[in-house]
């Protein structure tokens, strides 16, 4: 598949990214990072008005960078976005068809049990942390395991999510992702770090992502926003060449 048509649409996102701040700099401002997105982001925002437009812009920038780096196995036709800055009692996972500029799913998604209660607070790339990970992933192959039909994720961000496969961070269905129960207990049930979804939508949602979709997991974490190779200026100097 030729990624160039998608890269041309997303490239303004990449070119407008400011240079990465130094470690001594204050935390980057989300609105400033997402300044100047192309029409594609406007269309995504129209398709998913409940999503944060600035988060969508960052996701588009990460995808533009991954396409420019010719990330292996990346399919540019779809995009998944998780906004962990939202409470678990709200839908915070969106899947877009980029060919048609339409929204395929708007769903609840669980976070890791050690990442927080209703609100996430902590993230990790470490085995046994039972925390969620931030950054961009490529959705890879499906399999049937202890949680049923599941989707493996390959993390693209060194130090933040590149141990996802060895940690078995996958998308799967789970009965504890129950919005009705969440209204009673004040939060969704939590995973061991996986972005788990409702069992009723797990199979079609996984099938919409498998085979190369970029899944972008956001939280306003200063360390990640400063040092993500997919968000910093010049696309991390094309570190994946």
């Amino acid at each position: 598949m030729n990624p160039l048509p998608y890269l041309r649409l997303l490239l303004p996102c990449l070119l407008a990214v400011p240079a990465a701040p130094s470690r001594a700099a204050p935390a980057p401002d989300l609105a400033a990072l997402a300044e100047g997105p192309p029409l594609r982001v406007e269309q995504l925002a129209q398709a998913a008005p409940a999503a944060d437009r600035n988060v969508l812009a960052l996701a588009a920038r990460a995808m533009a960078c991954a396409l420019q780096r010719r990330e292996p196995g990346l399919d540019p036709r779809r995009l998944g976005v998780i906004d962990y800055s939202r409470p678990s009692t709200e839908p915070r996972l969106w899947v877009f068809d980029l060919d048609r500029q339409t929204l395929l799913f708007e769903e609840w998604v669980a976070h890791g049990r050690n990442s927080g209660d209703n609100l996430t607070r902590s993230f990790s790339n470490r085995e046994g942390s039972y925390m969620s990970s931030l950054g961009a992933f490529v959705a890879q192959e499906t399999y049937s395991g202890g949680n049923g039909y599941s989707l493996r994720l390959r993390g693209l961000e060194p130090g933040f999510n590149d141990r996802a496969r060895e940690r078995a961070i996958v998308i799967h269905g789970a009965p504890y992702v129950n919005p009705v129960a969440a209204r009673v207990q004040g939060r969704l049930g939590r995973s061991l770090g996986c972005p788990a979804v409702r069992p009723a939508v797990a199979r079609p949602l996984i099938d919409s992502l498998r085979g190369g979709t970029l899944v972008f997991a956001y939280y306003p974490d200063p360390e990640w926003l400063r040092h993500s190779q997919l968000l910093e200026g010049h696309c991390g100097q094309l570190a994946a060449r």
Side-chain angles (χ1 to χ4, degrees), residues 10-228:
L10 291 167
L11 192 56
C13 288
L14 179 60
L15 296 177
V17 175
S22 68
R23 288 183 180 272
D29 178 73
L30 174 59
L33 274 174
E35 186 180 29
L39 177 61
R40 173 172 292 276
V41 175
E42 296 293 346
Q43 293 170 329
L44 295 180
Q46 290 177 15
D52 187 314
R53 179 184 175 280
N54 289 328
V55 174
L56 296 179
L58 289 179
R61 291 186 178 199
M63 186 166 184
C65 180
L67 286 170
Q68 191 180 30
R69 286 165 46 153
R70 299 184 181 276
E71 194 64 51
L74 182 62
D75 184 341
R77 295 174 296 180
R78 291 185 177 174
L79 172 66
V81 180
I82 299 172
D83 186 353
Y84 282 128
S85 70
R86 298 190 173 214
S88 70
T89 49
E90 295 180 6
R92 52 182 181 170
L93 164 62
W94 296 270
V95 179
F96 298 94
D97 183 322
L98 298 181
D99 279 334
R100 297 176 175 83
Q101 292 292 313
T102 57
L103 180 66
L104 300 178
F105 293 93
E106 182 176 61
E107 277 295 323
W108 291 265
V109 61
H111 56 254
R113 65 172 60 166
N114 289 338
S115 282
D117 291 324
N118 186 32
L119 295 172
T120 53
R121 302 293 186 191
S122 304
F123 298 87
S124 179
N125 193 35
R126 180 173 54 83
E127 176 68 34
S129 67
Y130 297 162
M131 293 184 192
S132 299
S133 295
L134 293 176
F137 305 79
V138 172
Q140 296 190 300
E141 78 276 13
T142 60
Y143 70 99
S144 292
N147 290 304
Y149 193 56
S150 304
L151 176 64
R152 297 192 194 278
L153 300 173
R154 178 170 65 89
L156 303 183
E157 310 240 26
F160 296 102
N161 68 16
D162 58 338
R163 300 181 67 186
R165 281 192 67 105
E166 67 184 85
R167 292 180 62 205
I169 301 300
V170 303
I171 297 178
H172 63 81
Y176 53 76
V177 184
N178 183 327
V180 176
R183 285 197 292 269
V184 175
Q185 66 185 17
R187 61 166 173 79
L188 287 182
R190 295 166 298 175
S191 69
L192 299 183
C194 297
V197 298
R198 294 186 299 134
V201 302
R203 183 171 286 273
L205 188 149
I206 285 171
D207 284 342
S208 76
L209 295 172
R210 69 179 183 175
T213 298
L214 186 131
V215 178
F216 182 79
Y218 168 80
Y219 184 81
D221 177 79
E223 186 73 9
W224 169 63
L225 288 172
R226 286 184 187 125
H227 302 296
S228 168

